[in-house]
Each structure stands twice: as C-alpha cells, then as structure tokens.
C-alpha cells in the first residue's frame, strides 16, 4: 500500500511521474511482487488507469495480465480486475462513448484500429482464448461476467479468427451455451450478446449451437420476458435466432422438426386493443415477422419452404397473421411487414392460398381480404412501401395457383360481373387501376393482371372476351384493344412499360391472342414506328419492349392472317428497321440497370416509385424469349417451312407416344385386376387350410375322448373280475352300454360333418376350375395358375389325410366291437354266480339282445364308411385329372410368353433404329435454330413403340 501511495498518492516535493512511468512501475510490481495483495492492488490500479491510458496499458501490461490469469486463478478478485483491464484495453465501446462529443473526424477509425490491433495481439497465442473459455466456466460473478464481456469484445474485433479458435477448442461452444442457463440475468443477457457475435456467418458454429438446445432456451427466455411486450432482451434473442436460422437449411429443418414453429403463434396474439404500441414492441414484432420470413423465404429449398408453410397453417400461425392483417390500429411498418410475411407463407402453397382466398375483412358487408388489399394498391394516397407489399402479396397468391388465377379472371368475364354494382370485384379494381391517371397504379395493375395470366394459356384466351365500355354511346372495346389504344396515346413511361409487359405476357405462347393483336391494323405500324425512331435514354426501354412484343408476334404467329404472316413481318422489319437495329433495340431490356435489380429476387423492392419498371417474373420471360426471337428474325421462309414440317413430325410422334402410354395404362389395369384375382384365390386357399386345421383338432379331441372311455372300461372290467356284487355289476354294464351308444351317436354326427365338409371342398374345386380357365388367357396369369396348382396339390393332401382319418375310425369301431364281445363273455361268466333269480336272468337276456343289435349297427357303420372311402377315391381321381389339365395350360402359357419375349426383342431393334432417326431430326432442328425440348422423361419403351409405328406409316 505504501507503494501505491507513492505512485498515486498525495503531494510530493519532487516532480510528478508521467502516466507511462506509473504504468511501468505497476507492471513491474505485478511481475516481481511475491505477495498476492500487492499484485492485486497493482492490477486494480492498472484497471483504473486503463480507460485514460488505454494505449500505454495495452502495450506494457497485457503480457503481465495474461500471466496473472494463468497463475492466480485461485483468487477471484485479482482475476476479475485483470479481465476488466483487458476489456477496457480491447473494447472500443468505452472509447467511442468518450469520442462522441469530439470534433475529430478520424477518431472512430483510430479507435477501431486500436481495438483490432490489441485483439490480434491477444489471440496470437490461442492458449489465451482457451484460458478465457475456462474462466467463463467459473460460477463466481466477478470472474464470469468480465470474461463474457471480454470474449464478446474479442469476437467483435476479430470475429472469424476467434470463431475458429473456439471451434477447435474442446467443448468450446458447449461451455458458452451454459451461459443461457445462468440464473443471474446480467450474465444470461450478456451471454445472448456473446452468442450473437459467435454465430455470425459461421454455419458450423450455428449448427453446434442449435443442437445444444439453443432454440428451446431462447424461446423460453422470450416467453418469460413477455413475448412481443418484452424488453430489449427479447430483441437480442430474436436476433440470435435469426443468426441461427438464416441461410442454414439444417437448422431450419431442425427448428421445424422440433415443433418450434408452433411456439411462435403466441408472439402474434396482439389483442383487440392495438393502441399505444411502444417502440420496443414494434421492434420486437418486426423481428418476429422477419424470423417467420426466414423460414419460408423463396431462396430456401422448395421442399423445406413447403413443409414450413404447411406447419404454419396447421398450428394456426397463418390465421393469426391474417388477423393482424385485417386489424385496426396496427402501425404502418408492422402492417407492411405483416403483408410481406403473409405473402411468403402462402407463396406456392395451394392449401395456404385457398385459406387466404377465404379470409374476409371485418366490414359491413364483409369483403374478401384480397379485394381490400387491391383497393390499397390502386389508391395513390397510400404509402409507396405498403403498395409494393400488397402487389407482392397478390403475386404470391397467384404463384403456381391456377385456381386463384381463374377466380381473378372470372371476375372480368361478362357472365360473372355483378350487374347491380353493389360489390367491387378484384377484376374491376385491376381494370380501374389499369386505366387510372396515376402511373404507379397503372404499372401495379398491369403487373398484377400479368401474374393472373402467368403460364396459363386457357385464361389468356378467356381474357380476350373481356369488353370495356369506354364512353356513353360508343360501342365497347376489348381489353386488348384498350391497352394498345393507351399505348398509342403517349402516356407516361411507367404506364407504357407496365402495359407492354402485360401484352408480352398475354401474347407469349398463345397464338389466338397474337391473331387478335394482329387483327388491329394500327398495332404493327405503331410498334415499327416506335422501334425505328432514335429517342433519348428514357425511351430506350420502351423501344426494347416494343421490339420484344413484335418478336413475340412473329415467333408465336400461326400464319392465319394473310397480311401478317411471319415472312411478311420479317420483311417489314428488314425494310423499316433493319435486323441489326432490331436486335440492338431488343437488347436494351436486359442491359438496363433496373432489369438486373428486378431479376435478383421475387419481392419488388424499389427505392422510389420512379425505379418501379420491371417485374421479377417478367425478367424470366425476357431471358427465355430474347434468344429465340433473335434466331427467328434471321430465319428464311424455307427454314420456317422445314421447322413447321419437323414440328408436325414431332407432333405425330407425340401422338404415337400418347397412344402407347394409353395402351400401357390399360395393360397396367389388367395386371392389377389379375393380381386381385390371385389374391382372392390365396385368401380362399388360406380359408381351406384353416378349415382342415380345425378338422384335425376335432379328430384329436375325439381320439382323446376315446382313450378316456377305454380307461373307464378297463376299470369296469376289474370290478367285474372281483365278483363283488352281481346287481351292481349289471348296473355298471347297463351304464357303460348307454355311454357306448352316446359315443356312437357322436361319431355318426361327426362323420356326417366330415362328409359335408368334403362336399364343400368338392364344390370349391369346381368353382376354381372356371377361374383358372379365365385367367389362362392373360399373359400375367401364369403366377395365379401356379398358385392354383399348388392349391390342388394341397387339396389332394387333405383328401389323403381324410382317408387316413376314416381308416382310424374303422379301427376304432372294430375296437368297440371287441369291447362288446368282452362284455358278452363277462355276462355269460357271471350267470352261474347269479343264482336262480329269474329277474337277473331276464336282465341278462335283455342285455345280450341289445349287445347283438349294437354289433349289427356297428357292422352297418363300417360298411357305410367303406362306401364313403370309395367315393373319396373317385373325388381324388377327378382332382388329379383337373391338375393335369392345369399343367397342360401352364406349358401353353410358357410357350406364349417365350414367343412374346421374342417379339419384344424384334421391336427393340426397330425402336433403336427409329430413335437414331428421331435424334437426327432433332439435331437438324437445332442446327436450323429451332428450340427443341428434351423429352428425357419419356420412357425408352414408349419411344421404341412410337418409332416402330412411324416407320410403318412412312413405308405405307
């Protein structure tokens, strides 16, 4: 302490030491002092000087401070002072605050350079960063919090280098993830800021953080802080979530599979009272909407985007967003971002698009949300950003949605227009915007209507029926004619660009629309006049679009109008414009700066209304048509004829392919039917097997019962041999005879059951015969016949089993007869012992008569069983003959299959030749400049069959 008083203390007689000298003495004290208290006091003094003398402390003390971190880890106080000192030296935040009021212009740059240089010195030894990660694990507040702040500052200064060191450090990222679980909010919140810097532009660290349960912890923090009503901590968590999810497909999939999308729904429950939105709430909700857009961005893989869109619909998130969309009192920037978010949630997802079409605004009477949004788009008093968002929403609603396109166009057709005028339709709003005095409304309506026609030739033809009433007393004109009329009136450039984009989209790939356009004699002279003039830079874009429209009129011309055939239009271009000049003007479109901007992403984003010229989908159309139109202009009439002939040939081949596809479909259906028949036969076979199994179990039960009777009879014989009581013995014999009668009745009933089951099996065999004969006519019935043969073999085995059962029954009957004879012998032997009683003699005579009668009945049963045995042999012979017939049919089918294989091989050879001819024709077409689409998806078998028929037609 005396040392510090000498360095920093009161007045002294000698000269005061400078800051650098003081820092040097403190550094020497840290390095040489053996007492921990002295070192701690010196480090504390360095900390107090580090803000004012940042450069000096950084140069002289950094090495000593690092050594303190390594050697004095047992003392948390000195470790905290050292970390705070390093933070003051490396961080630019404190220096920037002091420089806020400074007038020097270069000070921020110098501050950045100083922090970056000290950071580079510190991380030059990677062990320093590893040591810092170890200190962050300490629970002591005075160690952990300064360590988090220092590591955050290092990441701000030299992010990629520090990220790489942490990435290769064992459990480096996992250690930092524990900060989110700290109960002290200060450390937890600074841990969120640390992870923000750690996850910037590093996909590997983003994945590790995500799999360390970051999503669960961050969503819990957001919920604890009050969702959108929370403070800046919610904002920091949302920024970290954006870092983890943006452009990271793996994390996006993990987020969806973890059912975290469902936890986003409460964020948007803003309530009915939407007044009094704080600035923090607006910021939070804005970031939440951006996070939703990250998951469904058009730049993501289509499969991932589609699965997230479906999850958002099923959990009710889309419905919640639509509620905000139609709510009142929502700030303009939140409303705009909500429209953009809903746009991307429904883009290309039919289920979400159908739901959005059903959403109604809370008005009286209710209006569809699409109509309400379109009213804002064509209203020039609405903010420009909001109008762009509505246009994007309408485009996303129609993207790959032919159903929605048809509904929009149907509101323009004469049969569906509301004659009463009570409600405004989407088509009426688009027409109103298309012909209003506001050029921005003209452009937006034209682009929206073009999206309703995108890749839908049917709707392009239907839109030709739309008639417009221009003024009272004048006949109505078509929508196509009205668009060309406005073009010729020389309106604003933005309006003409929008109308030309609409016309190009309308006429492309629609020959009927081209014919309607050429039917007006004023259109072609107007286009050629616009292209031929030498106008300023502002008009060059219009000239390029006019050249594109004229090229489409040539390329998709079906030559139905004699005066405007392809050849005549080409000659007109050659005379009035010149081919080279025409190609040059056509190139003005793709060379324009605004074209390049629009081609980057689907969402229309323009800095000002004047830059609103091109649509993203239209840039795709230009890219597709520019090359083919340039080639079409230079083609001669002979080449056109050849091209048409080749097209006709290709159409014929397409028809042949279609025919063979139909044949293959029919054959597939027949195969399915035969498979079903085979399955039914298998099920019948299984039923019969179960029946046989049941019969075997019943026979086993009968055997067991017989064995029991036999044992009982043996016991009774022992009683007879004992000669104990004559009357009781006779009573037992009478009871045994009655039991034997009952058993014989049971055997008779069971024998009748077996006969009935045999008759059922015979009927099943007779039913199977016609089924086998029907399936024998089909090539694929070979498997069903083989299964039928197996089934007959099984039936044969079952008959053999029944034979053995009958033999066993006959043996059992013989045993019963032997038992009866024994009983008779026993009765005769018992007669002397009975005395002269007349009653007992009468009973014995009666018993003998009954036994004789039973023996006769048993003989009759044996005779009946032998007859049944003979009938079963006959059934077996008939089944053997059926099997032989089926085997003959099987051999015939095998011969037919072999012949069909040989015919297929011959067809393959012919098809290979025809395929070579077809490829040669395609190459000729490509040489002539005709675009030929590859048909890789056509199966090789289809091509071979089609070429064979083509050869036969040529030979005929």
């Amino acid at each position: 302490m005396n040392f510090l008083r000498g360095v920093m203390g009161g007045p002294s007689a000698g000269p005061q030491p400078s800051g650098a000298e003081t820092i040097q003495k403190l550094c020497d004290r840290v390095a040489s002092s053996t007492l921990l208290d002295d070192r701690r006091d010196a480090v504390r003094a360095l900390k107090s000087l580090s803000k004012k003398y940042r450069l000096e402390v950084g140069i002289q003390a950094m090495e000593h401070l690092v050594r303190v971190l390594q050697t004095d880890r047992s003392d948390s106080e000195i470790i905290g002072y050292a970390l705070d000192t390093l933070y003051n030296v490396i961080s630019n935040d404190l220096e920037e605050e002091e420089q806020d009021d400074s007038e020097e212009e270069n000070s921020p740059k110098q501050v950045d350079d100083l922090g970056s240089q000290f950071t580079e010195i510190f991380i030059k030894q990677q062990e320093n960063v590893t040591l810092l990660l170890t200190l962050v694990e300490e629970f002591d507040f005075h160690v952990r919090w300064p360590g988090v702040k220092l590591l955050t500052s290092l990441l701000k200064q030299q992010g990629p280098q520090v990220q790489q060191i942490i990435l290769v450090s064992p459990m480096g990222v996992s250690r930092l993830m524990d900060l989110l679980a700290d109960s002290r909010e200060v450390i937890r919140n600074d841990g969120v800021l640390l992870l923000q810097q750690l996850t910037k532009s590093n996909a590997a660290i983003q994945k590790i953080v995500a799999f360390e349960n970051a999503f669960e912890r961050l969503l819990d923090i957001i919920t604890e802080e009050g969702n959108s009503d929370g403070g800046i901590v919610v904002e920091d968590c949302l920024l970290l979530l954006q870092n983890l999810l943006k452009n990271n497909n793996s994390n996006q999939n993990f987020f969806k599979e973890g059912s975290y999308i469902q936890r986003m729904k409460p964020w948007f429950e803003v309530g009915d009272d939407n007044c009094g939105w704080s600035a923090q709430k607006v910021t939070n909700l804005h970031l939440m909407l951006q996070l939703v857009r990250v998951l469904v961005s058009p730049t993501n893989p289509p499969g991932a985007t589609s699965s997230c869109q479906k999850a958002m619909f099923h959990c009710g998130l889309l419905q919640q967003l639509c509620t905000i969309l139609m709510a009142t009192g929502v700030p303009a920037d939140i409303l705009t971002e909500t429209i953009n978010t809903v746009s991307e949630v429904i883009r290309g997802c039919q289920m979400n698009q159908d739901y959005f079409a059903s959403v109604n605004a809370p008005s009286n009477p209710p209006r569809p949300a699409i109509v309400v949004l379109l009213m804002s788009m064509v209203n020039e008093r609405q903010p420009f950003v909001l109008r762009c968002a509505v246009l994007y929403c309408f485009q996303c609603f129609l993207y790959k949605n032919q159903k929605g396109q048809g509904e929009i166009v149907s509101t323009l057709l004469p049969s569906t227009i509301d004659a009463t005028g009570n409600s405004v339709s989407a088509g009426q709003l688009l027409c109103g915007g298309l012909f209003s005095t506001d050029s921005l409304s003209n452009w937006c309506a034209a682009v929206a209507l073009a999206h309703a026609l995108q890749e839908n030739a049917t709707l392009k033809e239907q839109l030709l029926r739309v008639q417009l009433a221009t003024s009272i007393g004048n006949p109505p004109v078509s929508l196509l004619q009205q668009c060309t009329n406005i073009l010729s009136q020389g309106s604003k450039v933005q309006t003409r660009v929008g109308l030309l984009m609409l016309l190009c989209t309308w006429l492309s790939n629609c020959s009927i629309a081209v014919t309607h356009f050429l039917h007006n004699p004023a259109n072609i002279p107007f286009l050629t006049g616009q292209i031929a003039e030498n106008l300023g830079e502002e008009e060059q874009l219009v000239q390029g679009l006019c050249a594109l429209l004229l090229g489409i009129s040539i390329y998709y011309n079906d030559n139905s109008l004699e005066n405007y055939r392809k050849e005549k239009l080409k000659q007109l271009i050659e005379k009035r414009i010149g081919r080279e000049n025409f190609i040059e003007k056509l190139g003005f479109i793709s060379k324009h700066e605004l074209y390049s901007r629009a081609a980057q992403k689907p969402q229309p984003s323009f800095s000002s209304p004047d830059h609103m010229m091109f649509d993203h989908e239209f840039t795709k159309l230009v890219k597709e048509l520019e090359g083919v139109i340039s080639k079409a202009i230079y083609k001669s009439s002979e080449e056109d004829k050849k091209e048409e002939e080749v097209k006709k040939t290709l159409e014929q081949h397409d028809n042949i392919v279609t025919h063979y596809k139909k044949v293959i479909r029919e054959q597939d259906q027949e195969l399915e039917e035969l498979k079903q028949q085979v399955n039914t036969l298998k099920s019948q076979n299984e039923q019969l097997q179960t029946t046989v199994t049941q019969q075997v179990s019943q026979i086993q039960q009968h055997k067991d019962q017989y064995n029991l009777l036999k044992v009982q009879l043996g016991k009774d014989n022992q009683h007879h041999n004992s000669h104990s009581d004559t009357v009781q013995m006779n009573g037992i014999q009478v009871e045994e005879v009655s039991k034997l009668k009952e058993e014989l009745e049971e055997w008779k009933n069971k024998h009748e059951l077996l006969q009935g089951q045999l008759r059922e099996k015979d009927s099943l065999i007779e039913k199977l015969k016609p089924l086998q004969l029907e399936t024998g006519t089909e090539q694929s019935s070979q498997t069903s016949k083989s299964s039928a043969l197996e089934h007959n073999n099984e039936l044969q085995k079952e008959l053999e089993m029944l034979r053995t059962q009958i033999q066993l029954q006959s043996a059992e009957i013989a045993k019963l007869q032997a038992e009866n004879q024994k009983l008779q012998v026993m009765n005769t032997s018992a007669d002397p012992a009975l005395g002269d009683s007349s009653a007992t003699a009468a009973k014995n005579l009666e018993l003998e008569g009954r036994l004789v009668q039973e023996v006769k009945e048993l003989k009759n049963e044996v005779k009946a069983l032998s007859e049944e045995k003979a009938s079963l042999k006959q059934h077996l012979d008939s089944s053997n003959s059926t099997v032989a017939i089926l085997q003959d049919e099987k051999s015939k089918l095998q011969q037919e299959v072999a012949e069909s294989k040989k015919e297929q091989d011959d067809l393959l050879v012919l098809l290979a030749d025809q395929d070579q001819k077809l490829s040669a024709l395609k190459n000729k077409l490509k040489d002539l400049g005709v675009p030929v689409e590859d048909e890789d998806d056509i199966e090789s078998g289809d091509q071979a069959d089609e070429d064979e028929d083509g050869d036969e037609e040529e030979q005929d």
Side-chain angles (χ1 to χ4, degrees), residues 269-380:
E269 294 174 356
V270 294
D272 298 331
D273 186 12
N274 293 326
C275 59
W277 289 62
S278 64
Q280 187 61 55
K281 181 175 182 178
V282 171
T283 302
N284 290 345
L285 203 54
H286 200 273
L287 289 172
M288 290 171 177
L289 291 169
Q290 287 183 349
L291 192 62
V292 175
R293 294 184 65 185
V294 165
L295 295 171
V296 293
S297 173
T299 58
N300 293 344
T305 299
S306 176
S307 59
C308 288
Q309 287 172 332
K310 293 176 182 176
M312 289 176 184
F313 174 78
H314 290 303
C315 74
L317 180 58
L318 174 59
Q319 293 84 331
Q320 201 66 45
L321 293 173
C322 291
T323 303
I324 298 176
L325 194 66
M326 294 290 106
T328 56
V330 180
D333 52 348
I334 293 296
L335 181 60
T336 302
E337 189 64 21
T338 304
I339 293 173
N340 288 326
T341 305
V342 171
S343 304
E344 294 184 352
V345 172
I346 67 174
R347 187 177 189 269
C349 181
Q350 187 67 51
M351 178 172 57
N352 293 2
Q353 289 167 340
D354 292 342
Y355 170 77
F356 185 70
S358 66
V359 174
N360 288 324
S363 59
N364 191 16
R367 288 178 176 174
I370 298 173
V371 173
V372 176
L373 292 175
L374 287 178
M375 291 172 71
S376 301
M377 187 185 73
V378 298
N379 186 354
E380 55 186 309

Side-chain angles (χ1 to χ4, degrees), residues 43 51 63 284 397 415 654 671 676 726 745:
V43 174
K51 293 182 181 179
E63 183 179 353
N284 290 345
F397 170 67
S415 59
D654 290 340
L671 285 173
Q676 291 177 359
T726 308
E745 290 295 329

